[in-house]
Amino acid sequence: MRPGRTPIHTITTWVRKQPPKVKAFLAVVSAMAALVLLRFIVHDHDNLFVAAEAVHSIGISVLIYKLIKEKTCAGLSLKSQELTAIFLAVRLYCSFVMEYDIHTLLDFATFATTLWVIYMIRFKLKASYMEEKDNFAIYYVVIPCAVLALLIHPSTSHLLFNRISWAFCVYLEAVSVLPQLRVMQNTKIVEPFTAHYVFALGVARFLSCAHWVLQVLDTRGHLLVALGYGLWPSMVLISEIVQTFILADFCYYYVKSVFGGQLVLRLPSGVV
């Protein structure tokens, strides 16, 4: 007797058959519904940012476990980790000279962990590193981010170099995960720990994006004015949205795989 199809499987099958425009519309509607839900559930929207940091920490913990216990870095992108280290180093510098707070300590802990991951991939676990799959040229994102930071940056009273540096780390963070997505696109099969790590990044960035969007709505746009004038306030919000949508496709297939009981995530061609 053929087992009945679960509601989740029925929905995912229907969504998969829809044209790209319909999928994009459904994604936007789902994101808006999630924002509305969070607005009513979470009264202090600053907690969303704290939650984003917590989920990111969980993702890093999964990554550390993979490297220590599994003794392999297969499926991980060294270039994504290097981009992460670059924007964290720049953000730490900006935090020290512009607005030192508790988030500076959190960034320092993440930066130190990222350097350790880079060390493990480059030296201790080099034999399992898929260098031929990690073929994303990082200057494709570093140079455009640097040029964009020169053109569009905060209009505060800080030194020009510091303002440009802050803009650079905001833009680079938005696209730092692209090399990791390229590795997964090249391999087509993503093992569990790597999938958990990237999914945690996606959830963390959605919560961070929700924090900014809801803050803008609560202040009726005054937050954007507080960030400065010109294009910079809008670019901050756009960067948060870009980070979320870059990982949205992967998160969809991750959730589908989990509900389907699959331990290994298989990505269709061109999903990333």
Side-chain angles (χ1 to χ4, degrees), residues 58-119:
I58 293 173
I60 293 176
S61 299
V62 171
L63 189 61
I64 292 174
Y65 179 86
K66 170 186 171 69
L67 296 178
I68 294 178
K69 297 297 182 181
E70 300 291 321
K71 302 295 184 182
T72 177
C73 62
L76 291 179
S77 169
L78 174 62
K79 293 180 179 179
S80 259
Q81 297 301 319
E82 289 174 340
L83 289 177
T84 300
I86 292 173
F87 83 71
L88 283 173
V90 176
R91 191 159 73 187
L92 276 172
Y93 163 76
C94 294
S95 295
F96 277 116
V97 300
M98 296 173 68
E99 50 174 15
Y100 183 86
D101 56 19
I102 185 61
H103 296 296
T104 305
L105 299 177
L106 295 174
D107 281 342
F108 180 79
T110 306
F111 178 63
T113 306
T114 302
L115 290 180
W116 180 83
V117 171
I118 292 174
Y119 168 76

Side-chain angles (χ1 to χ4, degrees), residues 231-253:
L231 294 175
W232 168 246
S234 298
M235 290 302 296
V236 172
L237 191 58
I238 290 173
S239 296
E240 291 289 340
I241 295 174
V242 166
Q243 291 184 65
T244 302
F245 276 93
I246 282 177
L247 286 165
D249 209 16
F250 170 83
C251 290
Y252 162 75
Y253 283 98

